[in-house]
Amino acid sequence: MISQIILIVILLLLSSFFSSTETAYTSVNKVRLKNISKDYRDIRYKSAKLALKLEDEYDKLLTTILVGNNLVNIALATLMALIFTNISERYGATISTIITTVGVLIFGEISPKTMAKQNADSYAIRVAGILNLFILIFTPVTKLFSAWTKFLEKKVKRSDNKITSEDLKVFVDEASGDIDKEHSELIKNSIAFEKLTASNVMTPRVEVIGIEVSDNALDIAERFRKSGYSRMPVYEDDLDKVVGIVNHKDFADLYMPGGSGIEDDFLKKIITPPLQVTEALKLSDVMHRMQNAKSHIAVVVDEYGGTEGIITLEDIVEQLVGEIFDEHDSLVSEGIIALKNGSFNVKADTNLKFVLSYFKIPDSFIEEYHSSTVNGWVNECLDHLPRLGDEFEKIYGNKKIKVRVFRATARKSLEVNFVVEKVKSSEE
């Protein structure tokens, strides 16, 4: 009887081992295993290498685990049936079935799998050697089942298991405990960066401040002063014919006291050739072209060759690291004015991402819109050109935003009023 009890305990332990191993290798972090296997200062690096090898041969690994687990559970059920039928021929089979089922569920499935999932990486490394031994023992059986598996794979069409950018974002969110918020945002921005084109981040033509090649020095100096920009496009007749880019420093070297002085056609001597890109060009390609051309600004042209807008290196970098506020950009924060009644007046040309982040609304809600400014967002929400007095509401998570247009022209909104409320529990 004692030998039978010892055998039952051994079989339960083996069942626990196979179940926990299956869960561990299903949940293991492959990247972490690779890092440990390359760190020769870590005493686990050899076991990590073996665990990585086993994980790479997952079909063989899984077949071994399933064969081992089934053999152990069948042996356990048979042994229990023999013991209890000897005690009671009438109820022995029923009692052994109940006790075996409960025992296997608690000690052979639920408990070991729960523990293995909590420490998948370390457990996978610890059991790699023992598991490799079982793989060698069951090799003849696993080869037979592997042949059957390959036969099924030929008959069943394999689904597309490619990892998408959305999958990567989910992985980053799930790894929030290991990655701080700033790094998490940077990774997600990098993933989204590949989808962006020049048209997504450019300054549209209607907002471009440029210099006509025939402008005098005083007008140019005043334009630089008011805009705060360090570079501006130079055009002939209209913005569709941009002839170059002028740098404020080059202009100041001529214009400021002590400079070489202003001559006729002085702009043509200090402008640099404009870099032109198409509106559909990927933002990553735009950045590479700007790097190669050593240019901080590019002109975005449409399919007809006209100027669609301009894009700066800062615009591109901001898509990765978020808004960069310099002494000029700090004026943008004045686009949101808090009123005594608790509402906010927002200038319609303010950056949409900046405004929604000001009200602590996650970027995930912004992704559904194609606009970069509040005015564009208002157009999308209203589905028509905004008119004075237009109102709408939007709910983002636990925030409700009531929007009212109170300044507008015939073609766009100029200023809107925001009332931000927390969503009541009944609305959630």
Side-chain angles (χ1 to χ4, degrees):
M1 186 67 178
I2 294 175
S3 61
Q4 290 176 328
I5 292 173
I6 292 172
L7 188 55
I8 288 170
V9 172
I10 292 172
L11 290 172
L12 271 175
L13 288 174
L14 286 172
S15 178
S16 172
F17 169 78
F18 286 119
S19 296
S20 57
T21 303
E22 180 185 357
T23 300
Y25 276 89
T26 303
S27 309
V28 74
N29 187 322
K30 198 171 180 179
V31 174
R32 195 167 292 153
L33 282 186
K34 283 184 178 179
N35 289 334
I36 296 173
S37 68
K38 292 176 182 177
D39 186 1
Y40 296 106
R41 295 169 298 177
D42 195 322
I43 59 173
R44 303 172 298 167
Y45 83 92
K46 286 185 179 179
S47 297
K49 275 186 177 179
L50 181 56
L52 201 57
K53 179 187 174 186
L54 296 178
E55 209 280 334
D56 287 336
E57 299 173 346
Y58 187 74
D59 288 343
K60 185 192 292 186
L61 170 74
L62 184 61
T63 303
T64 300
I65 291 172
L66 293 177
V67 168
N69 210 6
N70 278 283
L71 287 174
V72 167
N73 289 340
I74 290 169
L76 180 61
T78 303
L79 181 59
M80 293 290 282
L82 288 172
I83 292 172
F84 282 97
T85 50
N86 285 334
I87 296 172
S88 172
E89 289 186 6
R90 185 174 181 181
Y91 300 108
T94 304
I95 295 170
S96 71
T97 301
I98 294 171
I99 293 175
T100 303
T101 302
V102 173
V104 169
L105 277 175
I106 295 174
F107 302 108
E109 293 290 334
I110 297 172
S111 300
K113 285 188 174 183
T114 301
M115 294 169 65
K117 185 171 176 61
Q118 296 298 322
N119 304 281
D121 300 333
S122 58
Y123 187 81
I125 292 171
R126 281 202 304 269
V127 302
I130 303 172
L131 187 57
N132 192 46
L133 180 62
F134 277 112
I135 289 174
L136 292 174
I137 294 170
F138 291 133
T139 295
V141 182
T142 54
K143 281 187 176 180
L144 179 65
F145 284 107
S146 295
W148 173 249
T149 303
K150 288 178 182 177
F151 172 75
L152 289 177
E153 286 178 349
K154 290 179 181 178
K155 298 296 180 183
V156 180
K157 188 178 179 181
R158 185 185 290 271
S159 59
D160 185 11
N161 292 321
K162 289 182 180 178
I163 297 176
T164 65
S165 57
E166 294 305 315
D167 294 332
L168 288 173
K169 287 181 182 179
V170 173
F171 294 156
V172 173
D173 288 334
E174 289 183 349
S176 57
D178 299 323
I179 305 175
D180 59 44
K181 185 179 178 182
E182 289 75 15
H183 288 155
S184 176
E185 286 299 319
L186 183 59
I187 293 170
K188 285 193 281 188
N189 288 345
S190 300
I191 295 168
F193 186 79
E194 197 57 35
K195 292 183 178 179
L196 296 174
T197 62
S199 62
N200 294 134
V201 300
M202 70 179 184
T203 300
R205 177 190 174 117
V206 293
E207 295 179 15
V208 172
I209 299 173
I211 297 169
E212 192 166 359
V213 73
S214 59
D215 283 347
N216 62 53
L218 286 174
D219 289 339
I220 296 171
E222 182 66 12
R223 203 157 299 169
F224 270 120
R225 187 187 69 80
K226 283 186 175 181
S227 68
Y229 296 146
S230 60
R231 295 170 178 82
M232 280 196 282
V234 179
Y235 61 89
E236 285 184 1
D237 300 327
D238 60 44
L239 278 170
D240 283 331
K241 193 177 180 183
V242 175
V243 295
I245 305 296
V246 62
N247 190 310
H248 182 254
K249 181 181 179 301
D250 295 333
F251 172 74
D253 287 342
L254 295 177
Y255 181 74
M256 297 298 287
S260 58
I262 299 296
E263 303 174 0
D264 293 338
D265 296 330
F266 69 96
L267 272 180
K268 292 182 179 179
K269 297 178 181 179
I270 60 174
I271 61 175
T272 55
L275 173 64
Q276 296 186 331
V277 298
T278 61
E279 56 186 338
L281 191 65
K282 292 277 189 182
L283 210 53
S284 54
D285 294 328
V286 175
M287 184 171 69
H288 290 143
R289 291 192 184 186
M290 292 175 80
Q291 287 175 321
N292 292 334
K294 295 181 174 60
S295 175
H296 284 250
I297 188 170
V299 179
V300 182
V301 296
D302 59 24
E303 58 184 312
Y304 305 107
T307 299
E308 186 79 5
I310 61 169
I311 185 170
T312 67
L313 202 55
E314 183 179 318
D315 293 331
I316 297 173
V317 173
E318 283 181 339
Q319 303 308 308
L320 292 170
V321 301
E323 289 290 330
I324 300 172
F325 297 102
D326 56 26
E327 61 275 10
H328 168 67
D329 290 332
S330 62
L331 296 174
V332 175
S333 63
E334 296 178 11
I336 304 174
I337 302 171
L339 304 180
K340 289 182 179 180
N341 62 4
S343 67
F344 300 83
N345 284 351
V346 180
K347 291 182 178 178
D349 60 356
T350 308
N351 182 275
L352 176 64
K353 189 174 182 179
F354 169 75
V355 172
L356 295 186
S357 63
Y358 180 88
F359 295 113
K360 294 182 171 56
I361 293 169
D363 287 352
S364 55
F365 292 107
I366 304 173
E367 291 173 2
E368 61 184 278
Y369 301 105
H370 301 289
S371 305
S372 58
T373 65
V374 171
N375 177 63
W377 173 69
V378 170
N379 289 352
E380 285 191 65
C381 294
L382 290 174
D383 202 24
H384 62 73
L385 290 177
R387 295 183 292 266
L388 191 65
D390 278 345
E391 296 182 352
F392 63 89
E393 293 181 359
K394 284 288 177 182
I395 296 177
Y396 302 110
N398 65 342
K399 300 271 180 71
K400 178 198 281 185
I401 299 180
K402 296 180 180 178
V403 182
R404 179 175 58 85
V405 179
F406 71 91
R407 281 186 62 215
T409 66
R411 300 182 63 179
K412 66 177 184 178
S413 58
L414 298 176
E415 204 163 356
V416 296
N417 180 260
F418 275 36
V419 177
V420 182
E421 301 174 349
K422 282 199 172 183
V423 177
K424 296 178 182 178
S425 57
S426 59
E427 294 178 274
E428 292 182 330

